[in-house]
Amino acid sequence: MAIHVVFVEPEIPPNTGNIARTCAATDSVLHLVKPLGFSIDDKALKRAGLDYWPFVKLEVHESLDDFMAKYGPSGENRTMYLATTKGKHRYTDVQYKDGDMLLFGKETAGLPRDFIAQHEEYAIIIPMSEDTRLRSFNLANSANIIL
């Protein structure tokens, strides 16, 4: 089953490198949506991905609008799930299928609030402590947990 992992405006190279390794190992597709907080040639990104980069199915998109123009909203054959702390459904309550997409926002702000509001029926959450000092999981770890 090929799942698509979509990082929207990632900022920290090791997070992207780590999920690139996971995508290679799980035969998933990695999408990076610009602007990126680093160069794809960044040493930290390459180091985190080790020698897995030749096996990564990678697509780079100029913007979230460009990504949506290409892949469109959730439909019959594919669902786009938004991983967010604002989700109403637990990620474990979803029946994922081939071609589904998991969208994750940037480390400091997550996905745009208006984008989440437009697609809230597909917003999923990883349960965590209710301690308000704990805001979220690390981006790469979140993607690995759900994937």
Side-chain angles (χ1 to χ4, degrees):
M1 175 165 66
I3 297 291
H4 295 250
V5 175
V6 184
F7 274 11
V8 178
E9 301 181 13
E11 301 166 312
I12 302 171
N15 283 330
T16 300
N18 287 335
I19 199 59
R21 283 180 70 178
T22 300
C23 286
T26 60
D27 206 27
S28 300
V29 180
L30 176 60
H31 298 260
L32 300 179
V33 178
K34 292 180 179 181
L36 307 178
F38 49 84
S39 163
I40 292 184
D41 297 327
D42 190 293
K43 280 184 180 181
L45 178 71
K46 297 291 186 190
R47 184 172 34 249
L50 296 175
D51 55 350
Y52 288 71
W53 281 105
F55 306 103
V56 177
K57 296 172 190 161
L58 177 65
E59 288 190 36
V60 180
H61 307 273
E62 291 301 315
S63 67
L64 185 54
D65 287 340
D66 285 354
F67 171 80
M68 291 302 291
K70 181 172 183 178
Y71 286 99
S74 294
E76 199 173 300
N77 297 324
R78 171 183 51 247
T79 305
M80 290 186 189
Y81 294 101
L82 285 57
T84 172
T85 58
K86 317 294 186 273
K88 294 188 171 144
H89 309 286
R90 289 176 179 239
Y91 80 98
T92 54
D93 293 338
V94 172
Q95 292 291 323
Y96 303 98
K97 62 188 180 307
D98 189 40
D100 281 353
M101 299 185 140
L102 305 171
L103 281 70
F104 299 85
K106 61 182 163 184
E107 291 89 342
T108 57
L111 291 164
R113 289 185 188 268
D114 60 333
F115 185 78
I116 295 169
Q118 292 169 5
H119 307 280
E120 67 182 342
E121 68 270 26
Y122 301 108
I124 57 175
I125 189 168
I126 301 169
M128 59 181 283
S129 170
E130 293 183 21
D131 187 328
T132 57
R133 296 170 294 175
L134 307 171
R135 296 179 305 278
S136 64
F137 290 104
N138 168 277
L139 177 62
N141 290 344
S142 295
N144 277 309
I145 288 168
I146 296 174
L147 189 56

